[in-house]
Amino acid sequence: MTVISSSRPGADRPRADHSGADRPSAARPRADRSRTGRVLTYALVVALALAIAVPVAWVLLASLKRKSEFFGSPWTLPKGLHVQNYVDAFVTAHMGAYFLTSVLVTLLGLVIVLAVSVPAAYVVARYEFRGKGVVELALLGGLFVNVNYIVVPIFLMLVGWDRSLSDVFPGGFFIDNPAVLSLVYAATSIPFTIYLLTAYFRSIPVDYEEAAALDGASRFRIMTTIMLPMARPAVTTVILFNFLAYWNDFIISLTLLPGDHKTLQVGLLNLFTAQKAAADYGRLYAGMVIVIVPVLLVYAVIQRRLIEGISAGGVKG
């Protein structure tokens, strides 16, 4: 008797396993590429960090060496902490007076630019008025003006004003005045500051302002107590960028402060010129440290806010 099998043709064949058993082998090259990319990224970051940290550390160590140690091997560690280099730089080379001038000019410039830019950015971001497009176009055009190209016209303009006021101020008022230099710093950085703050103010939902207005808050109070704290990352960002621009400026300060009031950058150049004959490298490197350390301290204090300002696009509603 013939037995008819009820199984379908091909039922005894092993079925292909589509459950993903072969996925690990396919995903392994992808994971290897991802791991290689991370390793290369970390290696690049470490290389960049070393490229910045090693010269700074070398300048710091060189500022503690005696004059005789530089004529041996300049790459050796200092034999002691010769802090007299800093005393000589502050007192003999007048770096202390230049440091105070730089601090005064930088802080006053930051106060002026924030006092003007924060209300202006808030108005541009939130108000509609006649000529708003022209104002925004002018601010945008100001971003493409390099202040180093217009420093000579600024100098000639200030000289002309001093000549006009020679009867009132015989010794001059606008040239060799740190306050005027701060005003020039602030005026030339206003377009960038307003542009960045305006973009951040526009990213903040208007619900906060409407709720405060219903509670009876004025526009000025809304700006100072609600909008400004919420825009703190952007404010911190512009403070850092403007601080670096003011502190590291050389051309404008050299042109507008030709007298005894010098900033650190100009004073460091004078110290470098003087050291070509004296060969007192310890004092020269001490002057470099005096210029570098404030920048590192400011960045260390506000780096968290800076990262927030760069990464955050505003407050999500």
Side-chain angles (χ1 to χ4, degrees):
M1 183 176 67
T2 305
V3 179
I4 301 175
S5 175
S6 61
S7 61
R8 290 174 296 178
D12 54 342
R13 297 178 183 176
R15 297 183 178 180
D17 187 6
H18 299 286
S19 60
D22 296 334
R23 290 180 183 177
S25 59
R28 190 172 302 164
R30 194 177 306 168
D32 293 340
R33 289 194 299 267
S34 177
R35 188 180 300 107
T36 303
R38 288 196 300 269
V39 171
L40 293 177
T41 302
Y42 293 152
L44 179 61
V45 171
V46 171
L48 292 176
L50 291 177
I52 298 173
V54 170
V56 173
W58 189 85
V59 170
L60 178 60
L61 294 176
S63 67
L64 299 173
K65 290 183 177 182
R66 297 180 180 273
K67 185 188 302 185
S68 59
E69 297 182 49
F70 287 95
F71 297 99
S73 177
W75 304 104
T76 58
L77 296 176
K79 298 178 181 179
L81 302 179
H82 190 59
V83 296
Q84 185 63 32
N85 291 331
Y86 289 91
V87 178
D88 294 340
F90 263 97
V91 180
T92 306
H94 308 290
M95 295 297 287
Y98 302 155
F99 180 84
L100 293 179
T101 302
S102 291
V103 171
L104 172 64
V105 169
T106 301
L107 292 181
L108 185 58
L110 290 175
V111 170
I112 295 174
V113 72
L114 290 179
V116 175
S117 300
V118 171
Y122 179 67
V123 170
V124 172
R126 286 295 192 249
Y127 283 84
E128 294 294 334
F129 53 89
R130 183 177 300 177
K132 179 179 178 180
V134 177
V135 172
E136 291 184 340
L137 184 61
L139 292 173
L140 184 61
L143 296 176
F144 300 95
V145 177
N146 192 332
V147 65
N148 295 323
Y149 297 157
I150 61 174
V151 64
V152 174
I154 292 175
F155 174 77
L156 296 177
M157 178 184 67
L158 297 179
V159 169
W161 291 355
D162 276 339
R163 291 175 180 174
S164 302
L165 300 176
S166 59
D167 296 335
V168 182
F169 300 102
F173 177 78
F174 295 99
I175 299 297
D176 201 26
N177 189 340
V180 175
L181 178 61
S182 299
L183 185 61
V184 173
Y185 282 162
T188 53
S189 59
I190 280 177
F192 163 75
T193 307
I194 293 181
Y195 179 81
L196 195 148
L197 293 178
T198 300
Y200 200 93
F201 280 140
R202 284 174 175 168
S203 67
I204 300 177
V206 297
D207 299 342
Y208 300 98
E209 298 169 89
E210 294 175 352
L214 292 176
D215 292 337
S218 62
R219 282 290 185 179
F220 181 78
R221 185 176 180 183
I222 292 174
M223 182 190 70
T224 55
T225 62
I226 297 178
M227 300 295 291
L228 193 56
M230 296 177 69
R232 190 177 300 171
V235 174
T236 305
T237 302
V238 298
I239 287 176
L240 179 61
F241 279 98
N242 288 329
F243 171 82
L244 294 176
Y246 302 164
W247 187 266
N248 295 325
D249 171 69
F250 175 78
I251 299 297
I252 304 176
S253 60
L254 177 65
T255 306
L256 301 185
L257 297 181
D260 297 332
H261 301 288
K262 292 181 175 62
T263 59
L264 270 179
Q265 303 297 331
V266 180
L268 185 62
L269 175 65
N270 295 340
L271 181 60
F272 179 77
T273 305
Q275 296 313 306
K276 289 183 178 180
D280 193 352
Y281 296 107
R283 185 166 63 175
L284 175 61
Y285 286 116
M288 293 182 182
V289 173
I290 295 172
V291 175
I292 295 173
V293 167
V295 177
L296 297 179
L297 292 178
V298 170
Y299 182 76
V301 170
I302 65 176
Q303 62 172 338
R304 182 177 178 182
R305 296 292 183 183
L306 174 64
I307 296 174
E308 291 178 1
I310 295 176
S311 60
V315 181
K316 300 298 181 181

